[in-house]
Amino acid sequence: MTDPAGHPIPLKGEFAVLDGDLYQVRAAAGLWPYVELLPEPGRPAPAGLAPRESSDGSVGYPVQPERLEAWYSVRWTFRWHDEPFECTASSPTTLSGNYLGSDEHFAKEHLKRRVIGYRGVFPRDEITELAEHREDLLQPLHALMRRLAEADHFRPKAYAVYHGRTYAAAAEADASGLIALTTSHDRSEDLAADPRNPSAEHFLAAPEQLDAWYRIHWTFRWQGGPFDAVGTVDGRIKGVYTGGSWGFADNWQLTDESDPGHTRYTAVVDLDGVTDLEQHRTDLMTEQ
């Protein structure tokens, strides 16, 4: 398929624009949120990007989404005999498509049966309302990354407040009753360096020195079941199932991460698919 100037138009898939050039793309496995640019055969590699070979031997060029001018998915639709189709292939004289309508009599009379639904191949001069549909993928990704950052990726974490400033902290005191804080270079002189890790900006404080000491964690529900959030994986939230139903774990095919004496089922799900996402704060001072 070509545009009025004779340039090829992508028929279906995901595409991105980098430095004004259009590329087909795929997810960069293990490098989320990167995407991989896939130059067409004989086309120069994207400047400044290192190649990466996938498990099937194909080569892509990973790039950070913030470098892209655009990233979107494409599909085409058309009508034949006033019935709707999604385009699956094209040639100079024909278009192929999967039937999107609901007229069973029409489908059985004119189309070929698929495993699910119907398809057909049609002369171009019988096609009407040929239209391209684009779905922006770049802005939703930026929005998701902002949501993840605001929630600190949903990892349980502990914090301590010292002289009005908040620091990342250990969730438990050490054997001597001191709490490890991760501070910046402008720490107070009365904080002692952690002798176990003196070069990593870890310092020790007694509980009575602190204004507050607390732990943050998140809970949510997915498919009606309760979970404790433990972080994110490739932009999706990961949780440990806290309900008591083995049937729920089996029915929703939760991942078994159990070890001897400890049952643990997990799920990695889309953030928009969870409900009752809630942050909890536990005062660690009262637990001493």
Side-chain angles (χ1 to χ4, degrees):
M1 191 177 296
T2 59
D3 66 14
H7 300 126
I9 298 175
L11 186 62
K12 190 174 184 180
E14 292 185 12
F15 301 86
V17 178
L18 176 68
D19 298 331
D21 292 324
L22 180 68
Y23 299 89
Q24 189 164 4
V25 301
R26 66 186 175 197
L31 286 180
W32 189 90
Y34 282 60
V35 294
E36 288 186 348
L37 307 183
L38 305 172
E40 297 173 358
R43 184 178 175 184
L49 298 182
R52 182 171 183 254
E53 186 174 346
S54 70
S55 57
D56 64 3
S58 59
V59 175
Y61 293 81
V63 60
Q64 297 165 296
E66 52 265 34
R67 291 190 56 188
L68 300 175
E69 292 116 70
W71 176 29
Y72 54 87
S73 63
V74 167
R75 70 184 185 95
W76 287 76
T77 59
F78 61 86
R79 285 186 175 270
W80 181 74
H81 288 196
D82 207 33
E83 291 290 333
F85 292 82
E86 181 172 8
C87 191
T88 57
S90 68
S91 76
T93 58
T94 64
L95 290 182
S96 302
N98 292 331
Y99 182 48
L100 301 178
S102 58
D103 188 333
E104 192 76 14
H105 176 75
F106 169 87
K108 288 181 177 179
E109 182 178 357
H110 298 285
L111 307 175
K112 293 183 179 179
R113 180 73 183 180
R114 301 170 58 229
V115 175
I116 300 177
Y118 295 87
R119 63 181 176 85
V121 180
F122 314 103
R124 278 182 176 262
D125 58 8
E126 297 180 7
I127 297 298
T128 61
E129 299 183 35
L130 179 63
E132 180 190 43
H133 306 269
R134 294 188 181 187
E135 179 184 355
D136 180 29
L137 301 177
L138 196 55
Q139 294 308 314
L141 176 65
H142 290 328
L144 172 60
M145 293 176 69
R146 286 194 296 270
R147 292 172 67 188
L148 294 178
E150 289 168 0
D152 199 18
H153 289 215
F154 303 104
R155 290 186 297 270
K157 285 194 172 183
Y159 299 91
V161 181
Y162 179 76
H163 288 183
R165 295 187 60 183
T166 302
Y167 302 95
E172 296 180 357
D174 65 13
S176 61
L178 298 178
I179 301 160
L181 279 61
T182 301
T183 74
S184 57
H185 297 293
D186 58 348
R187 68 179 179 89
S188 298
E189 292 298 326
D190 54 347
L191 285 178
D194 186 347
R196 298 162 299 186
N197 204 347
S199 63
E201 297 184 343
H202 289 181
F203 301 89
L204 300 175
E208 56 268 21
Q209 292 179 277
L210 301 176
D211 305 322
W213 181 33
Y214 57 92
R215 177 180 180 270
I216 295 292
H217 77 283
W218 296 75
T219 60
F220 64 88
R221 300 186 76 86
W222 178 71
Q223 303 297 345
F227 290 81
D228 277 340
V230 294
T232 58
V233 177
D234 290 350
R236 308 173 77 203
I237 188 168
K238 180 176 181 178
V240 176
Y241 177 57
T242 56
S245 170
W246 179 88
F248 178 91
D250 181 63
N251 182 59
W252 294 107
Q253 298 183 339
L254 303 188
T255 301
D256 188 350
E257 296 186 13
S258 304
D259 52 38
H262 181 213
T263 301
R264 173 183 162 103
Y265 290 99
T266 66
V268 178
V269 299
D270 290 333
L271 190 58
D272 290 338
V274 308
T275 62
D276 303 314
L277 182 61
E278 185 177 357
Q279 185 189 82
H280 305 267
R281 173 169 167 161
T282 303
D283 185 0
L284 297 176
M285 289 287 204
T286 62
E287 296 184 354
Q288 296 301 300

